[in-house]
Amino acid sequence: MGANSSSISELPENEYLKKLSGAEPISKNDPFWNQLLSFSFTTPTNSADLKLLEEATVSVCKSLVEKNPRTGNLGSLIKVFLSRTKELKISAECQNHLFIWQAHNALFIICCLLKVFISRMSEEELQLHFTYEDKAPGSYGTECEDLIEELLCCLIQLIVEIPLLDITYSISLEAVTTLIVFLSCQLFRKEILRESIIHKYLMRGRCLPYTSRLVKTLLYNFIRQERSPAPGTHVFQQQSDGGGLLYGIASGVATGLWTVFTLGGVGSKPAPQLEQCSPLANQSLLLLLVLANLTDAPDMPNPYRQAIMSFKNTQDSTAFSSSNPHAFQINFNSLYTALCEQQKSDQATLLLYMLLHQNGNVRTYVLARTDIENLVLPILEILYHVEERNSHHVYMALIILLILTEDDGFNRSIHEVILKNITWYAERVLTEISLGSLLILVVIRTIQYNMTRTRDKYLHTNCLAALANMSAQFRSLHQYAAQRIISLFSLLSKKHNKVLEQATQSLRGSLGSNDSPLPDYAQDLNVIEEVIRMMLEIINSCLTNSLHHNPNLVYALLYKRDLFEQFRTHPSFQDIMQNIDLVISFFSSRLEQAGAELSVERVLEIIKQGAVALPKDRLRKFPELKFKYVEEEQPEEFFIPYVWSLVYNSAVALYWNPHDIQLFTMDSG
C-alpha cells in the first residue's frame, strides 16, 4: 500500500507494509502513517476479492504477529485511527474527503490484520497484542490496557453518529465489518463461547450505553437498503478508463502522489444481486443477528437481545418499562415493508422469526396488518422452493407460519384475502384462490416432499401443527386445497399399509431364522399412526367448527370415502372417526336420495343444503387443536452456528479459510 504498490501481487514486497510488520517501532506521530494510508480503491464487497487480498498479505500479517510484541505497531496503527475518528463527524459535514479517506484506509488495514490475528490466537493472546508498546520487549503500558474497549467503542460511535452519506458509506460499512471480525473468535471454537473477552467489552462498560442506538441504527440500515454509491461519488473519483474495482486518485490531490491499488479481476465471482445492491444493509443485518445471539453473561442478560425484544413503534405513546433501559422506538411500517421485500435471504427470514417470537409489539403490529399477504407470500415461496433452500431457512419459514397461526384473527383473515394468478405455483394454474387455501397447499406440499426426501419428523410436526391451528377457521376452501388434504391422507394411508405389511412379513421370516435382528417397524408404524391421527383431527376440527363453510372438503371426503373404511375400527382412531363417519354417512344418504349421475354443481348444492340440516349436537366435541411454538431449551446450540454460517457464506462478508473453521463443518454451513 502507499506509493509503490500497483497490483495485488506486489503487496508482499510493498515497502510500507514491510515496515509496518518489521522490527522497527513506528511512533503514532510518524509521517509514515500518511504514506501508508494513501492508497485508493473500492472496499472489496465479495469474498473472492478478499481471498486474493488475504493470500497476498498473509506473509505480512504473520510477520506482524511475530514482531508486534517488540514494536507495538498494531497499537500505534489503532491509535492513529482513533485520533483521526475524533473529527470524523465534522469531516463528513464539511465534505472533507481526504480526512475520511485516510480514516477508512486505516480501519480497512486494522480489519484485515484483526481477522488474521483472531484466526491464529486465543482472545487472551489478542488482548496482549493490544497492550504492547514501543518500550522494552514485551512490556505493558497502563494507558493502553483498554485499547480494545476504546476501539470497540469508537466503531460503535462511528456507526451510530456519523451521517450516512456517499463519502461516509465505505467507512460505515468497514466499521460494521470490523465489529463482525472482532466477534468472529466464535468461528474458531467448536464449543459455544459463553465467556468471551470481546463479549464482556460489548455488554458492559463504555459500550453498554450505546446498545439501543446501535441496534436501532443497524435496523435502519437494513430498512433503508442504501445502495453502495455509484462510481464517481465515493471519496475518490473513478478513472476515465473504468474497469471494475480499479479506482483513481483522490479528489483534490495531485496526480501521481498516490498509487492505485487494485482488487479482483477476471476471475472474481460477483456477489448475488440482493447483497451486492446494499452491502451495508446486508452486513448490518448480519452484525445485528450476531449481537442478538451472544450468550447471556452469568450476571446479566444480553443487552442487544433485550433491545430487540422490547423496541416499540414510533406511533406508540405508552411509557417505556423502567426495567429495560435498552428500549427504543422505530417506524414499524418501514420495518414491515423491508421484511416483506427481503425474505429471499436467510438472514432476513431469521430476523423476522426473532421479531415475531421475541418482540410482542412487532407480533401484535404484524397480525393487525390488513396486507398480511405481502409478508406471507414470500414465506410460502421459501417453502414451495424447498429443494432449493437450505434446511435452516425452511425451518425458520415454517416456524414463522406456526407463530402466525397461533392467532385466530390471522387464521380467519387469510381466507378473506383473494389472490390472482400465483405464477410461482407450478403444479396447477391458480387464477383465483384465497391466501388461506394457498397456505394449506404449500404446507401439504412441504409434508409430501419431506415424506419422500428428507423424512424429518421435526418438519412434519411443525407443518401439521400449523394446519391444526388453522383447521377450526378453514373457510371456503378452494377445491384443489380440499383435494390435497384428502390426497395427503391417502398417501399416509398407503404408507401405513406398506409398513404394516413389511412388519408382518418380517415377523413371519424371523420365526424361521435367528441370524439377523428385526428392523424396528413398530417405531415406524407408531410415527405414521401419529401423523394419521393428526390428519384425522385436522379434518374433524374443520367439520365440527366450519362444515357449512367448506362444501369442497365434504365433496372430497365423499369422493374418497373408501379411504377411511379401514380406520373406523382401528383402536387408535375409533374416537376421532365417529364424526367423520357420521358426516360421510349423512351426506351419502342425501346424495342417494337425490338420484344417480349427479353433476358436480348439483352435488355441491346438496352438500350446502345438507350442511344446514345436519344437527350440530350429533357431532362429538373434541378439545380445540392449538399448538404453540416453544423454543428449544438451549437455542444457542442451534442459532449461533446458524448465524455464523450465514456470515461465513455471505457473498459480501469476509473471507475465512475453510480449514480454520471449527464451529461447523463446511457441509452444514
Side-chain angles (χ1 to χ4, degrees):
M1 303 197 176
N4 294 326
S5 181
S6 60
S7 74
I8 209 167
S9 62
E10 296 173 9
L11 285 177
E13 300 304 316
N14 179 272
E15 60 177 300
Y16 297 101
L17 291 178
K18 288 177 80 171
K19 184 173 180 180
L20 173 67
S21 60
E24 184 98 14
I26 308 168
S27 162
K28 64 181 180 181
N29 301 315
D30 196 303
F32 161 82
W33 298 110
N34 281 330
Q35 297 166 319
L36 173 72
L37 302 178
S38 298
F39 59 90
S40 181
F41 70 102
T42 301
T43 303
T45 55
N46 66 66
S47 54
D49 287 342
L50 283 156
K51 181 183 179 189
L52 291 174
L53 179 64
E54 174 159 315
E55 289 170 349
T57 56
V58 66
S59 60
V60 172
C61 295
K62 283 181 179 178
S63 177
L64 185 62
V65 170
E66 181 186 337
K67 307 281 179 35
N68 187 61
R70 292 185 293 278
T71 66
N73 285 345
L74 176 66
S76 296
L77 172 61
I78 290 168
K79 287 173 190 172
V80 169
F81 169 71
L82 291 172
S83 68
R84 299 191 182 209
T85 56
K86 288 173 182 172
E87 305 298 326
L88 210 52
K89 192 172 182 181
I90 296 171
S91 298
E93 291 168 355
C94 299
Q95 298 283 302
N96 188 334
H97 291 219
L98 183 59
F99 196 89
I100 297 169
W101 173 48
Q102 289 202 336
H104 165 267
N105 288 352
L107 183 55
F108 178 74
I109 295 173
I110 290 168
C111 186
C112 291
L113 293 172
L114 272 177
K115 190 168 72 66
V116 175
F117 274 62
I118 287 170
S119 68
R120 293 174 180 269
M121 62 186 68
S122 67
E123 284 189 299
E124 290 74 18
E125 290 175 284
L126 177 70
Q127 192 174 34
L128 282 177
H129 274 277
F130 274 74
T131 64
Y132 296 134
E133 283 191 289
D134 175 22
K135 290 186 177 180
S139 64
Y140 305 90
T142 53
E143 66 176 87
C144 300
E145 286 179 359
D146 284 328
L147 197 57
I148 290 183
E149 183 174 38
E150 197 171 343
L151 178 56
L152 287 169
C153 199
C154 175
L155 293 172
I156 293 172
Q157 288 171 337
L158 196 159
I159 293 166
V160 303
E161 293 179 353
I162 303 301
L164 188 59
L165 309 168
D166 283 350
I167 62 170
T168 61
Y169 190 98
S170 290
I171 195 168
S172 296
L173 174 59
E174 205 59 50
V176 172
T177 302
T178 306
L179 278 178
I180 292 175
V181 168
F182 255 120
L183 290 159
S184 68
C185 49
Q186 176 64 82
L187 272 174
F188 311 103
R189 308 288 185 276
K190 283 185 178 179
E191 70 287 348
I192 300 301
L193 280 179
R194 301 188 185 277
E195 290 191 20
S196 159
I197 293 169
I198 305 302
H199 294 187
K200 285 178 182 176
Y201 279 125
L202 287 170
M203 290 167 63
R204 60 188 77 220
R206 291 172 57 189
C207 295
L208 186 61
Y210 291 96
T211 297
S212 59
R213 289 178 66 190
L214 178 58
V215 171
K216 184 175 183 177
T217 303
L218 295 175
L219 273 173
Y220 269 127
N221 286 347
F222 166 70
I223 288 168
R224 289 169 181 151
Q225 294 289 316
E226 292 283 355
R227 291 171 176 261
S228 184
T233 56
H234 282 305
V235 176
F236 23 82
Q237 302 298 316
Q238 188 178 23
Q239 284 189 327
S240 57
D241 58 355
L245 293 172
L246 183 63
Y247 277 77
I249 307 307
S251 58
V253 180
T255 303
L257 188 58
W258 286 283
T259 300
V260 173
F261 176 53
T262 64
L263 279 177
V266 178
S268 296
K269 183 180 176 182
Q273 197 61 39
L274 277 174
E275 297 180 353
Q276 205 172 35
C277 288
S278 183
L280 179 61
N282 183 70
Q283 293 291 77
S284 294
L285 179 52
L286 289 172
L287 176 57
L288 182 64
L289 294 173
V290 169
L291 290 170
N293 285 282
L294 297 180
T295 54
D296 294 336
D299 56 343
M300 69 175 292
N302 178 348
Y304 300 97
R305 189 182 302 122
Q306 283 190 310
I308 286 172
M309 290 171 66
S310 58
F311 71 80
K312 301 193 302 184
N313 194 355
T314 47
Q315 296 180 345
D316 188 342
S317 58
T318 57
F320 285 113
S321 169
S322 57
S323 61
N324 188 355
H326 307 299
F328 62 91
Q329 289 180 298
I330 202 166
N331 187 310
F332 276 18
N333 183 57
S334 301
L335 176 61
Y336 181 80
T337 301
L339 288 168
C340 292
E341 292 174 350
Q342 300 300 321
Q343 285 308 305
K344 284 192 170 117
S345 76
D346 280 67
Q347 44 266 42
T349 305
L350 180 54
L351 175 65
L352 175 58
Y353 157 77
M354 282 170 46
L355 295 179
L356 288 175
H357 178 54
Q358 298 178 355
N359 189 312
N361 301 320
V362 173
R363 185 168 58 252
T364 300
Y365 176 86
V366 167
L367 289 168
R369 291 285 301 207
T370 55
D371 59 349
I372 194 68
E373 67 274 14
N374 291 340
L375 187 68
V376 175
L377 281 171
I379 298 299
L380 294 183
E381 272 202 76
I382 294 168
L383 292 176
Y384 183 80
H385 297 294
V386 58
E387 63 280 355
E388 300 170 16
R389 304 289 180 180
N390 68 69
S391 59
H392 289 358
H393 199 184
V394 172
Y395 284 144
M396 288 300 102
L398 194 51
I399 292 168
I400 286 166
L401 287 185
L402 180 56
I403 292 170
L404 292 173
T405 61
E406 290 171 14
D407 182 77
D408 284 341
F410 171 84
N411 295 331
R412 282 191 297 272
S413 66
I414 55 175
H415 292 288
E416 297 166 4
V417 177
I418 304 301
L419 307 168
K420 306 274 189 181
N421 300 316
I422 308 302
T423 55
W424 48 262
Y425 194 92
E427 279 81 352
R428 179 162 171 160
V429 176
L430 299 174
T431 53
E432 186 173 290
I433 189 171
S434 72
L435 179 60
S437 288
L438 181 63
L439 198 159
I440 292 165
L441 284 175
V442 173
V443 171
I444 287 175
R445 185 180 183 275
T446 307
I447 293 172
Q448 291 181 323
Y449 176 86
N450 186 48
M451 284 175 67
T452 56
R453 306 284 181 86
T454 53
R455 300 183 181 180
D456 187 322
K457 186 181 177 183
Y458 182 81
L459 196 72
H460 256 22
T461 303
N462 283 285
C463 284
L464 291 167
L467 288 176
N469 284 347
M470 297 190 309
S471 59
Q473 308 291 339
F474 284 172
R475 293 288 187 277
S476 304
L477 289 185
H478 190 281
Q479 62 178 26
Y480 186 52
Q483 287 170 19
R484 299 310 297 162
I485 291 172
I486 305 304
S487 293
L488 175 58
F489 185 82
S490 173
L491 188 66
L492 290 166
S493 176
K494 289 175 185 174
K495 196 168 182 64
H496 178 268
N497 293 341
K498 184 179 178 181
V499 174
L500 197 59
E501 185 181 341
Q502 287 173 336
T504 305
Q505 289 176 352
S506 177
L507 191 61
R508 285 174 186 160
S510 69
L511 296 176
S513 173
N514 296 319
D515 295 340
S516 56
L518 285 173
D520 192 1
Y521 288 115
Q523 185 178 357
D524 290 348
L525 204 59
N526 186 49
V527 170
I528 294 169
E529 288 184 355
E530 281 181 15
V531 176
I532 288 174
R533 169 83 192 188
M534 191 83 155
M535 279 303 299
L536 288 172
E537 288 180 344
I538 289 166
I539 294 168
N540 178 70
S541 174
C542 175
L543 296 177
T544 53
N545 290 284
S546 54
L547 183 144
H548 56 293
H549 289 298
N550 292 291
N552 284 327
L553 182 62
V554 177
Y555 184 99
L557 199 64
L558 293 171
Y559 190 75
K560 293 283 189 178
R561 71 190 92 178
D562 295 344
L563 275 177
F564 299 88
E565 196 66 37
Q566 63 176 316
F567 299 107
R568 289 175 64 187
T569 56
H570 194 292
S572 299
F573 313 120
Q574 266 184 319
D575 58 337
I576 205 75
M577 275 300 302
Q578 288 178 18
N579 285 345
I580 296 171
D581 197 32
L582 188 150
V583 168
I584 290 173
S585 300
F586 177 81
F587 285 99
S588 295
S589 173
R590 293 182 75 92
L591 290 174
E592 285 171 11
Q593 292 171 17
E597 297 185 12
L598 301 171
S599 66
V600 173
E601 292 76 14
R602 178 63 183 141
V603 171
L604 285 170
E605 186 183 334
I606 292 168
I607 289 171
K608 289 173 184 176
Q609 293 169 352
V612 178
L614 178 65
K616 300 297 183 288
D617 57 357
R618 290 181 60 188
L619 294 174
R620 179 182 167 186
K621 288 289 181 186
F622 286 85
E624 185 182 11
L625 289 180
K626 271 296 168 193
F627 293 88
K628 191 173 178 64
Y629 169 68
V630 179
E631 208 166 62
E632 299 292 328
E633 285 186 13
Q634 291 187 305
E636 65 274 8
E637 298 289 343
F638 169 84
F639 286 105
I640 291 176
Y642 179 31
V643 168
W644 278 107
S645 74
L646 297 181
V647 175
Y648 177 84
N649 288 307
S650 171
V652 298
L654 288 133
Y655 167 78
W656 281 282
N657 189 324
H659 301 296
D660 295 335
I661 305 300
Q662 297 291 317
L663 182 60
F664 47 78
T665 63
M666 296 338 307
D667 290 339
S668 66

